[in-house]
PDB file of all heavy atoms in Angstrom:
ATOM      1  N   LYS A   1      66.971 298.777  39.113  1.00 77.00           N
ATOM      2  CA  LYS A   1      66.919 300.116  38.531  1.00 77.00           C
ATOM      3  C   LYS A   1      67.159 300.079  37.028  1.00 77.00           C
ATOM      4  O   LYS A   1      66.478 300.756  36.258  1.00 77.00           O
ATOM      5  CB  LYS A   1      67.949 301.013  39.218  1.00 77.00           C
ATOM      6  CG  LYS A   1      67.813 302.477  38.846  1.00 77.00           C
ATOM      7  CD  LYS A   1      68.670 303.352  39.733  1.00 77.00           C
ATOM      8  CE  LYS A   1      68.439 304.827  39.407  1.00 77.00           C
ATOM      9  NZ  LYS A   1      69.238 305.712  40.273  1.00 77.00           N
ATOM     10  N   GLN A   2      68.131 299.258  36.591  1.00 71.00           N
ATOM     11  CA  GLN A   2      68.451 299.216  35.168  1.00 71.00           C
ATOM     12  C   GLN A   2      67.370 298.505  34.358  1.00 71.00           C
ATOM     13  O   GLN A   2      67.355 298.577  33.123  1.00 71.00           O
ATOM     14  CB  GLN A   2      69.787 298.526  34.948  1.00 71.00           C
ATOM     15  CG  GLN A   2      69.795 297.039  35.305  1.00 71.00           C
ATOM     16  CD  GLN A   2      71.181 296.457  35.268  1.00 71.00           C
ATOM     17  OE1 GLN A   2      72.104 296.983  35.881  1.00 71.00           O
ATOM     18  NE2 GLN A   2      71.348 295.361  34.564  1.00 71.00           N
ATOM     19  N   GLN A   3      66.455 297.781  35.039  1.00 73.00           N
ATOM     20  CA  GLN A   3      65.385 297.083  34.334  1.00 73.00           C
ATOM     21  C   GLN A   3      64.052 297.817  34.409  1.00 73.00           C
ATOM     22  O   GLN A   3      63.016 297.273  34.024  1.00 73.00           O
ATOM     23  CB  GLN A   3      65.236 295.663  34.892  1.00 73.00           C
ATOM     24  CG  GLN A   3      66.435 294.780  34.567  1.00 73.00           C
ATOM     25  CD  GLN A   3      66.386 293.432  35.248  1.00 73.00           C
ATOM     26  OE1 GLN A   3      65.555 293.184  36.120  1.00 73.00           O
ATOM     27  NE2 GLN A   3      67.281 292.544  34.859  1.00 73.00           N
ATOM     28  N   MET A   4      64.060 299.050  34.910  1.00 72.00           N
ATOM     29  CA  MET A   4      62.836 299.838  34.913  1.00 72.00           C
ATOM     30  C   MET A   4      62.384 300.066  33.474  1.00 72.00           C
ATOM     31  O   MET A   4      63.192 300.359  32.592  1.00 72.00           O
ATOM     32  CB  MET A   4      63.058 301.180  35.607  1.00 72.00           C
ATOM     33  CG  MET A   4      61.793 301.992  35.772  1.00 72.00           C
ATOM     34  SD  MET A   4      62.100 303.623  36.498  1.00 72.00           S
ATOM     35  CE  MET A   4      62.715 304.507  35.061  1.00 72.00           C
ATOM     36  N   ILE A   5      61.095 299.936  33.231  1.00 80.00           N
ATOM     37  CA  ILE A   5      60.537 300.040  31.886  1.00 80.00           C
ATOM     38  C   ILE A   5      59.530 301.193  31.862  1.00 80.00           C
ATOM     39  O   ILE A   5      58.677 301.293  32.754  1.00 80.00           O
ATOM     40  CB  ILE A   5      59.823 298.734  31.482  1.00 80.00           C
ATOM     41  CG1 ILE A   5      60.745 297.527  31.691  1.00 80.00           C
ATOM     42  CG2 ILE A   5      59.327 298.800  30.041  1.00 80.00           C
ATOM     43  CD1 ILE A   5      59.998 296.221  31.822  1.00 80.00           C
ATOM     44  N   LYS A   6      59.638 302.042  30.872  1.00 72.00           N
ATOM     45  CA  LYS A   6      58.615 303.055  30.616  1.00 72.00           C
ATOM     46  C   LYS A   6      57.816 302.587  29.407  1.00 72.00           C
ATOM     47  O   LYS A   6      58.291 302.632  28.266  1.00 72.00           O
ATOM     48  CB  LYS A   6      59.253 304.413  30.348  1.00 72.00           C
ATOM     49  CG  LYS A   6      59.872 305.058  31.568  1.00 72.00           C
ATOM     50  CD  LYS A   6      58.846 305.455  32.620  1.00 72.00           C
ATOM     51  CE  LYS A   6      58.036 306.649  32.204  1.00 72.00           C
ATOM     52  NZ  LYS A   6      57.151 307.131  33.278  1.00 72.00           N
ATOM     53  N   TYR A   7      56.612 302.089  29.655  1.00 78.00           N
ATOM     54  CA  TYR A   7      55.808 301.490  28.586  1.00 78.00           C
ATOM     55  C   TYR A   7      54.465 302.195  28.485  1.00 78.00           C
ATOM     56  O   TYR A   7      53.654 302.145  29.410  1.00 78.00           O
ATOM     57  CB  TYR A   7      55.618 300.001  28.867  1.00 78.00           C
ATOM     58  CG  TYR A   7      54.926 299.230  27.765  1.00 78.00           C
ATOM     59  CD1 TYR A   7      55.519 299.087  26.524  1.00 78.00           C
ATOM     60  CD2 TYR A   7      53.688 298.638  27.971  1.00 78.00           C
ATOM     61  CE1 TYR A   7      54.904 298.383  25.505  1.00 78.00           C
ATOM     62  CE2 TYR A   7      53.052 297.928  26.965  1.00 78.00           C
ATOM     63  CZ  TYR A   7      53.669 297.809  25.730  1.00 78.00           C
ATOM     64  OH  TYR A   7      53.042 297.104  24.725  1.00 78.00           O
ATOM     65  N   LYS A   8      54.270 302.900  27.370  1.00 72.00           N
ATOM     66  CA  LYS A   8      53.024 303.626  27.120  1.00 72.00           C
ATOM     67  C   LYS A   8      52.690 304.569  28.283  1.00 72.00           C
ATOM     68  O   LYS A   8      51.543 304.659  28.744  1.00 72.00           O
ATOM     69  CB  LYS A   8      51.868 302.656  26.864  1.00 72.00           C
ATOM     70  CG  LYS A   8      52.073 301.799  25.613  1.00 72.00           C
ATOM     71  CD  LYS A   8      50.919 300.845  25.378  1.00 72.00           C
ATOM     72  CE  LYS A   8      51.167 300.000  24.129  1.00 72.00           C
ATOM     73  NZ  LYS A   8      50.078 299.026  23.884  1.00 72.00           N
ATOM     74  N   GLY A   9      53.746 305.240  28.790  1.00 65.00           N
ATOM     75  CA  GLY A   9      53.555 306.222  29.858  1.00 65.00           C
ATOM     76  C   GLY A   9      53.494 305.648  31.253  1.00 65.00           C
ATOM     77  O   GLY A   9      53.354 306.388  32.229  1.00 65.00           O
ATOM     78  N   THR A  10      53.623 304.321  31.381  1.00 72.00           N
ATOM     79  CA  THR A  10      53.540 303.660  32.688  1.00 72.00           C
ATOM     80  C   THR A  10      54.902 303.090  33.065  1.00 72.00           C
ATOM     81  O   THR A  10      55.581 302.471  32.238  1.00 72.00           O
ATOM     82  CB  THR A  10      52.503 302.521  32.650  1.00 72.00           C
ATOM     83  OG1 THR A  10      51.220 303.066  32.338  1.00 72.00           O
ATOM     84  CG2 THR A  10      52.425 301.806  33.994  1.00 72.00           C
ATOM     85  N   THR A  11      55.312 303.295  34.316  1.00 71.00           N
ATOM     86  CA  THR A  11      56.564 302.730  34.814  1.00 71.00           C
ATOM     87  C   THR A  11      56.316 301.319  35.319  1.00 71.00           C
ATOM     88  O   THR A  11      55.453 301.096  36.179  1.00 71.00           O
ATOM     89  CB  THR A  11      57.139 303.598  35.948  1.00 71.00           C
ATOM     90  OG1 THR A  11      57.422 304.909  35.449  1.00 71.00           O
ATOM     91  CG2 THR A  11      58.424 302.985  36.488  1.00 71.00           C
ATOM     92  N   LEU A  12      57.078 300.353  34.792  1.00 80.00           N
ATOM     93  CA  LEU A  12      56.916 298.959  35.162  1.00 80.00           C
ATOM     94  C   LEU A  12      58.240 298.371  35.610  1.00 80.00           C
ATOM     95  O   LEU A  12      59.306 298.802  35.156  1.00 80.00           O
ATOM     96  CB  LEU A  12      56.402 298.133  33.970  1.00 80.00           C
ATOM     97  CG  LEU A  12      55.107 298.550  33.282  1.00 80.00           C
ATOM     98  CD1 LEU A  12      54.866 297.640  32.077  1.00 80.00           C
ATOM     99  CD2 LEU A  12      53.943 298.474  34.245  1.00 80.00           C
ATOM    100  N   TYR A  13      58.155 297.372  36.485  1.00 75.00           N
ATOM    101  CA  TYR A  13      59.305 296.550  36.835  1.00 75.00           C
ATOM    102  C   TYR A  13      58.939 295.096  36.541  1.00 75.00           C
ATOM    103  O   TYR A  13      57.789 294.683  36.721  1.00 75.00           O
ATOM    104  CB  TYR A  13      59.673 296.686  38.317  1.00 75.00           C
ATOM    105  CG  TYR A  13      60.360 297.984  38.665  1.00 75.00           C
ATOM    106  CD1 TYR A  13      59.674 299.000  39.321  1.00 75.00           C
ATOM    107  CD2 TYR A  13      61.694 298.192  38.354  1.00 75.00           C
ATOM    108  CE1 TYR A  13      60.304 300.198  39.644  1.00 75.00           C
ATOM    109  CE2 TYR A  13      62.338 299.369  38.684  1.00 75.00           C
ATOM    110  CZ  TYR A  13      61.636 300.367  39.332  1.00 75.00           C
ATOM    111  OH  TYR A  13      62.267 301.536  39.651  1.00 75.00           O
ATOM    112  N   PRO A  14      59.893 294.280  36.094  1.00 82.00           N
ATOM    113  CA  PRO A  14      59.599 292.880  35.753  1.00 82.00           C
ATOM    114  C   PRO A  14      58.887 292.076  36.840  1.00 82.00           C
ATOM    115  O   PRO A  14      58.014 291.264  36.506  1.00 82.00           O
ATOM    116  CB  PRO A  14      60.988 292.303  35.441  1.00 82.00           C
ATOM    117  CG  PRO A  14      61.742 293.467  34.884  1.00 82.00           C
ATOM    118  CD  PRO A  14      61.275 294.646  35.709  1.00 82.00           C
ATOM    119  N   PRO A  15      59.208 292.241  38.161  1.00 81.00           N
ATOM    120  CA  PRO A  15      58.500 291.416  39.151  1.00 81.00           C
ATOM    121  C   PRO A  15      56.981 291.534  39.086  1.00 81.00           C
ATOM    122  O   PRO A  15      56.269 290.553  39.341  1.00 81.00           O
ATOM    123  CB  PRO A  15      59.044 291.940  40.489  1.00 81.00           C
ATOM    124  CG  PRO A  15      60.420 292.404  40.157  1.00 81.00           C
ATOM    125  CD  PRO A  15      60.304 293.025  38.794  1.00 81.00           C
ATOM    126  N   ALA A  16      56.474 292.720  38.752  1.00 82.00           N
ATOM    127  CA  ALA A  16      55.015 292.882  38.652  1.00 82.00           C
ATOM    128  C   ALA A  16      54.462 292.048  37.508  1.00 82.00           C
ATOM    129  O   ALA A  16      53.360 291.482  37.599  1.00 82.00           O
ATOM    130  CB  ALA A  16      54.666 294.357  38.445  1.00 82.00           C
ATOM    131  N   MET A  17      55.218 291.944  36.411  1.00 87.00           N
ATOM    132  CA  MET A  17      54.775 291.129  35.278  1.00 87.00           C
ATOM    133  C   MET A  17      54.891 289.640  35.597  1.00 87.00           C
ATOM    134  O   MET A  17      54.050 288.837  35.182  1.00 87.00           O
ATOM    135  CB  MET A  17      55.580 291.496  34.031  1.00 87.00           C
ATOM    136  CG  MET A  17      55.282 292.896  33.512  1.00 87.00           C
ATOM    137  SD  MET A  17      56.068 293.256  31.919  1.00 87.00           S
ATOM    138  CE  MET A  17      57.723 293.647  32.477  1.00 87.00           C
ATOM    139  N   HIS A  18      55.927 289.265  36.347  1.00 86.00           N
ATOM    140  CA  HIS A  18      56.054 287.868  36.768  1.00 86.00           C
ATOM    141  C   HIS A  18      54.824 287.443  37.573  1.00 86.00           C
ATOM    142  O   HIS A  18      54.293 286.349  37.385  1.00 86.00           O
ATOM    143  CB  HIS A  18      57.308 287.681  37.625  1.00 86.00           C
ATOM    144  CG  HIS A  18      58.592 287.832  36.878  1.00 86.00           C
ATOM    145  ND1 HIS A  18      58.796 287.290  35.629  1.00 86.00           N
ATOM    146  CD2 HIS A  18      59.754 288.459  37.195  1.00 86.00           C
ATOM    147  CE1 HIS A  18      60.019 287.569  35.218  1.00 86.00           C
ATOM    148  NE2 HIS A  18      60.622 288.289  36.146  1.00 86.00           N
ATOM    149  N   ASP A  19      54.369 288.301  38.488  1.00 83.00           N
ATOM    150  CA  ASP A  19      53.211 287.971  39.310  1.00 83.00           C
ATOM    151  C   ASP A  19      51.979 287.708  38.455  1.00 83.00           C
ATOM    152  O   ASP A  19      51.202 286.778  38.719  1.00 83.00           O
ATOM    153  CB  ASP A  19      52.917 289.107  40.300  1.00 83.00           C
ATOM    154  CG  ASP A  19      53.838 289.077  41.508  1.00 83.00           C
ATOM    155  OD1 ASP A  19      54.548 288.065  41.682  1.00 83.00           O
ATOM    156  OD2 ASP A  19      53.848 290.056  42.277  1.00 83.00           O
ATOM    157  N   ILE A  20      51.769 288.547  37.457  1.00 88.00           N
ATOM    158  CA  ILE A  20      50.594 288.386  36.596  1.00 88.00           C
ATOM    159  C   ILE A  20      50.667 287.070  35.823  1.00 88.00           C
ATOM    160  O   ILE A  20      49.687 286.310  35.755  1.00 88.00           O
ATOM    161  CB  ILE A  20      50.476 289.580  35.628  1.00 88.00           C
ATOM    162  CG1 ILE A  20      50.091 290.840  36.418  1.00 88.00           C
ATOM    163  CG2 ILE A  20      49.455 289.303  34.526  1.00 88.00           C
ATOM    164  CD1 ILE A  20      50.136 292.111  35.606  1.00 88.00           C
ATOM    165  N   LEU A  21      51.812 286.761  35.255  1.00 90.00           N
ATOM    166  CA  LEU A  21      51.958 285.533  34.471  1.00 90.00           C
ATOM    167  C   LEU A  21      51.868 284.291  35.349  1.00 90.00           C
ATOM    168  O   LEU A  21      51.332 283.261  34.936  1.00 90.00           O
ATOM    169  CB  LEU A  21      53.283 285.569  33.705  1.00 90.00           C
ATOM    170  CG  LEU A  21      53.339 286.646  32.607  1.00 90.00           C
ATOM    171  CD1 LEU A  21      54.776 286.878  32.149  1.00 90.00           C
ATOM    172  CD2 LEU A  21      52.465 286.259  31.429  1.00 90.00           C
ATOM    173  N   ASN A  22      52.390 284.382  36.567  1.00 85.00           N
ATOM    174  CA  ASN A  22      52.296 283.244  37.488  1.00 85.00           C
ATOM    175  C   ASN A  22      50.863 282.987  37.947  1.00 85.00           C
ATOM    176  O   ASN A  22      50.562 281.934  38.501  1.00 85.00           O
ATOM    177  CB  ASN A  22      53.194 283.476  38.711  1.00 85.00           C
ATOM    178  CG  ASN A  22      54.662 283.300  38.394  1.00 85.00           C
ATOM    179  OD1 ASN A  22      55.027 282.504  37.539  1.00 85.00           O
ATOM    180  ND2 ASN A  22      55.515 284.049  39.073  1.00 85.00           N
ATOM    181  N   ASP A  23      49.984 283.942  37.712  1.00 83.00           N
ATOM    182  CA  ASP A  23      48.581 283.811  38.102  1.00 83.00           C
ATOM    183  C   ASP A  23      47.815 282.851  37.195  1.00 83.00           C
ATOM    184  O   ASP A  23      46.708 282.427  37.527  1.00 83.00           O
ATOM    185  CB  ASP A  23      47.905 285.190  38.075  1.00 83.00           C
ATOM    186  CG  ASP A  23      46.779 285.302  39.087  1.00 83.00           C
ATOM    187  OD1 ASP A  23      46.663 284.395  39.931  1.00 83.00           O
ATOM    188  OD2 ASP A  23      46.021 286.275  39.029  1.00 83.00           O
ATOM    189  N   PHE A  24      48.392 282.513  36.042  1.00 87.00           N
ATOM    190  CA  PHE A  24      47.711 281.645  35.084  1.00 87.00           C
ATOM    191  C   PHE A  24      48.268 280.221  35.179  1.00 87.00           C
ATOM    192  O   PHE A  24      49.428 279.975  34.853  1.00 87.00           O
ATOM    193  CB  PHE A  24      47.906 282.174  33.650  1.00 87.00           C
ATOM    194  CG  PHE A  24      47.087 283.393  33.343  1.00 87.00           C
ATOM    195  CD1 PHE A  24      47.582 284.661  33.619  1.00 87.00           C
ATOM    196  CD2 PHE A  24      45.824 283.284  32.797  1.00 87.00           C
ATOM    197  CE1 PHE A  24      46.839 285.790  33.345  1.00 87.00           C
ATOM    198  CE2 PHE A  24      45.057 284.404  32.517  1.00 87.00           C
ATOM    199  CZ  PHE A  24      45.570 285.664  32.793  1.00 87.00           C
ATOM    200  N   SER A  25      47.415 279.300  35.628  1.00 80.00           N
ATOM    201  CA  SER A  25      47.860 277.912  35.754  1.00 80.00           C
ATOM    202  C   SER A  25      48.098 277.270  34.396  1.00 80.00           C
ATOM    203  O   SER A  25      48.822 276.274  34.281  1.00 80.00           O
ATOM    204  CB  SER A  25      46.811 277.097  36.530  1.00 80.00           C
ATOM    205  OG  SER A  25      45.545 277.166  35.883  1.00 80.00           O
ATOM    206  N   GLY A  26      47.505 277.839  33.335  1.00 83.00           N
ATOM    207  CA  GLY A  26      47.654 277.262  32.008  1.00 83.00           C
ATOM    208  C   GLY A  26      48.967 277.586  31.323  1.00 83.00           C
ATOM    209  O   GLY A  26      49.268 277.030  30.264  1.00 83.00           O
ATOM    210  N   ILE A  27      49.761 278.496  31.902  1.00 90.00           N
ATOM    211  CA  ILE A  27      51.045 278.850  31.291  1.00 90.00           C
ATOM    212  C   ILE A  27      52.111 277.850  31.730  1.00 90.00           C
ATOM    213  O   ILE A  27      52.379 277.687  32.916  1.00 90.00           O
ATOM    214  CB  ILE A  27      51.458 280.286  31.676  1.00 90.00           C
ATOM    215  CG1 ILE A  27      50.476 281.298  31.056  1.00 90.00           C
ATOM    216  CG2 ILE A  27      52.877 280.579  31.202  1.00 90.00           C
ATOM    217  CD1 ILE A  27      50.780 282.740  31.402  1.00 90.00           C
ATOM    218  N   GLN A  28      52.708 277.171  30.741  1.00 89.00           N
ATOM    219  CA  GLN A  28      53.740 276.175  31.046  1.00 89.00           C
ATOM    220  C   GLN A  28      55.090 276.833  31.318  1.00 89.00           C
ATOM    221  O   GLN A  28      55.815 276.429  32.221  1.00 89.00           O
ATOM    222  CB  GLN A  28      53.855 275.193  29.878  1.00 89.00           C
ATOM    223  CG  GLN A  28      52.580 274.378  29.650  1.00 89.00           C
ATOM    224  CD  GLN A  28      52.621 273.641  28.331  1.00 89.00           C
ATOM    225  OE1 GLN A  28      52.754 274.248  27.276  1.00 89.00           O
ATOM    226  NE2 GLN A  28      52.506 272.321  28.390  1.00 89.00           N
ATOM    227  N   CYS A  29      55.453 277.822  30.527  1.00 90.00           N
ATOM    228  CA  CYS A  29      56.633 278.632  30.783  1.00 90.00           C
ATOM    229  C   CYS A  29      56.511 279.925  29.986  1.00 90.00           C
ATOM    230  O   CYS A  29      55.704 280.020  29.051  1.00 90.00           O
ATOM    231  CB  CYS A  29      57.934 277.901  30.460  1.00 90.00           C
ATOM    232  SG  CYS A  29      58.231 277.586  28.717  1.00 90.00           S
ATOM    233  N   TYR A  30      57.292 280.929  30.381  1.00 93.00           N
ATOM    234  CA  TYR A  30      57.209 282.223  29.709  1.00 93.00           C
ATOM    235  C   TYR A  30      58.561 282.924  29.758  1.00 93.00           C
ATOM    236  O   TYR A  30      59.436 282.584  30.555  1.00 93.00           O
ATOM    237  CB  TYR A  30      56.142 283.115  30.360  1.00 93.00           C
ATOM    238  CG  TYR A  30      56.451 283.521  31.777  1.00 93.00           C
ATOM    239  CD1 TYR A  30      57.271 284.621  32.052  1.00 93.00           C
ATOM    240  CD2 TYR A  30      55.938 282.818  32.865  1.00 93.00           C
ATOM    241  CE1 TYR A  30      57.574 284.995  33.353  1.00 93.00           C
ATOM    242  CE2 TYR A  30      56.235 283.179  34.171  1.00 93.00           C
ATOM    243  CZ  TYR A  30      57.047 284.267  34.402  1.00 93.00           C
ATOM    244  OH  TYR A  30      57.349 284.630  35.689  1.00 93.00           O
ATOM    245  N   GLN A  31      58.688 283.931  28.907  1.00 94.00           N
ATOM    246  CA  GLN A  31      59.888 284.766  28.902  1.00 94.00           C
ATOM    247  C   GLN A  31      59.490 286.178  28.485  1.00 94.00           C
ATOM    248  O   GLN A  31      58.812 286.367  27.473  1.00 94.00           O
ATOM    249  CB  GLN A  31      60.928 284.215  27.935  1.00 94.00           C
ATOM    250  CG  GLN A  31      62.281 284.912  28.002  1.00 94.00           C
ATOM    251  CD  GLN A  31      63.298 284.232  27.089  1.00 94.00           C
ATOM    252  OE1 GLN A  31      63.232 284.380  25.873  1.00 94.00           O
ATOM    253  NE2 GLN A  31      64.220 283.475  27.693  1.00 94.00           N
ATOM    254  N   ILE A  32      59.886 287.159  29.297  1.00 93.00           N
ATOM    255  CA  ILE A  32      59.617 288.569  29.013  1.00 93.00           C
ATOM    256  C   ILE A  32      60.815 289.137  28.262  1.00 93.00           C
ATOM    257  O   ILE A  32      61.952 289.056  28.743  1.00 93.00           O
ATOM    258  CB  ILE A  32      59.380 289.357  30.315  1.00 93.00           C
ATOM    259  CG1 ILE A  32      58.202 288.766  31.095  1.00 93.00           C
ATOM    260  CG2 ILE A  32      59.152 290.839  30.018  1.00 93.00           C
ATOM    261  CD1 ILE A  32      58.101 289.262  32.525  1.00 93.00           C
ATOM    262  N   VAL A  33      60.567 289.700  27.095  1.00 92.00           N
ATOM    263  CA  VAL A  33      61.636 290.272  26.274  1.00 92.00           C
ATOM    264  C   VAL A  33      61.404 291.779  26.159  1.00 92.00           C
ATOM    265  O   VAL A  33      60.324 292.216  25.739  1.00 92.00           O
ATOM    266  CB  VAL A  33      61.672 289.641  24.868  1.00 92.00           C
ATOM    267  CG1 VAL A  33      62.810 290.258  24.042  1.00 92.00           C
ATOM    268  CG2 VAL A  33      61.848 288.127  24.965  1.00 92.00           C
ATOM    269  N   ILE A  34      62.396 292.569  26.560  1.00 89.00           N
ATOM    270  CA  ILE A  34      62.303 294.030  26.486  1.00 89.00           C
ATOM    271  C   ILE A  34      63.294 294.512  25.430  1.00 89.00           C
ATOM    272  O   ILE A  34      64.457 294.084  25.417  1.00 89.00           O
ATOM    273  CB  ILE A  34      62.655 294.676  27.843  1.00 89.00           C
ATOM    274  CG1 ILE A  34      61.871 294.031  28.986  1.00 89.00           C
ATOM    275  CG2 ILE A  34      62.370 296.183  27.806  1.00 89.00           C
ATOM    276  CD1 ILE A  34      62.403 294.382  30.356  1.00 89.00           C
ATOM    277  N   HIS A  35      62.854 295.385  24.547  1.00 86.00           N
ATOM    278  CA  HIS A  35      63.755 295.935  23.537  1.00 86.00           C
ATOM    279  C   HIS A  35      63.361 297.371  23.238  1.00 86.00           C
ATOM    280  O   HIS A  35      62.319 297.859  23.708  1.00 86.00           O
ATOM    281  CB  HIS A  35      63.727 295.087  22.257  1.00 86.00           C
ATOM    282  CG  HIS A  35      62.406 295.091  21.545  1.00 86.00           C
ATOM    283  ND1 HIS A  35      62.131 295.908  20.478  1.00 86.00           N
ATOM    284  CD2 HIS A  35      61.273 294.373  21.767  1.00 86.00           C
ATOM    285  CE1 HIS A  35      60.896 295.698  20.062  1.00 86.00           C
ATOM    286  NE2 HIS A  35      60.354 294.775  20.826  1.00 86.00           N
ATOM    287  N   SER A  36      64.186 298.059  22.496  1.00 81.00           N
ATOM    288  CA  SER A  36      63.910 299.448  22.126  1.00 81.00           C
ATOM    289  C   SER A  36      63.321 299.494  20.717  1.00 81.00           C
ATOM    290  O   SER A  36      63.800 298.805  19.804  1.00 81.00           O
ATOM    291  CB  SER A  36      65.193 300.284  22.170  1.00 81.00           C
ATOM    292  OG  SER A  36      65.707 300.341  23.484  1.00 81.00           O
TER     293      SER A  36
END
């Protein structure tokens, strides 16, 4: 709940972004940074 993101009018949770990034075999590692 505390990691819910309102981004450009869309509600996002980090797990959905993890799934997208894990879909790319070319990504060696990643980090999602959220700020105000």
Side-chain angles (χ1 to χ4, degrees):
K1 190 169 184 179
Q2 66 189 52
Q3 292 173 350
M4 186 184 79
I5 308 158
K6 289 293 287 187
Y7 186 65
K8 297 180 180 178
T10 299
T11 299
L12 304 176
Y13 285 104
M17 292 187 280
H18 291 317
D19 281 349
I20 290 172
L21 293 165
N22 286 329
D23 210 11
F24 286 88
S25 57
I27 294 179
Q28 296 168 301
C29 69
Y30 65 84
Q31 188 175 74
I32 301 166
V33 180
I34 310 166
H35 65 97
S36 296

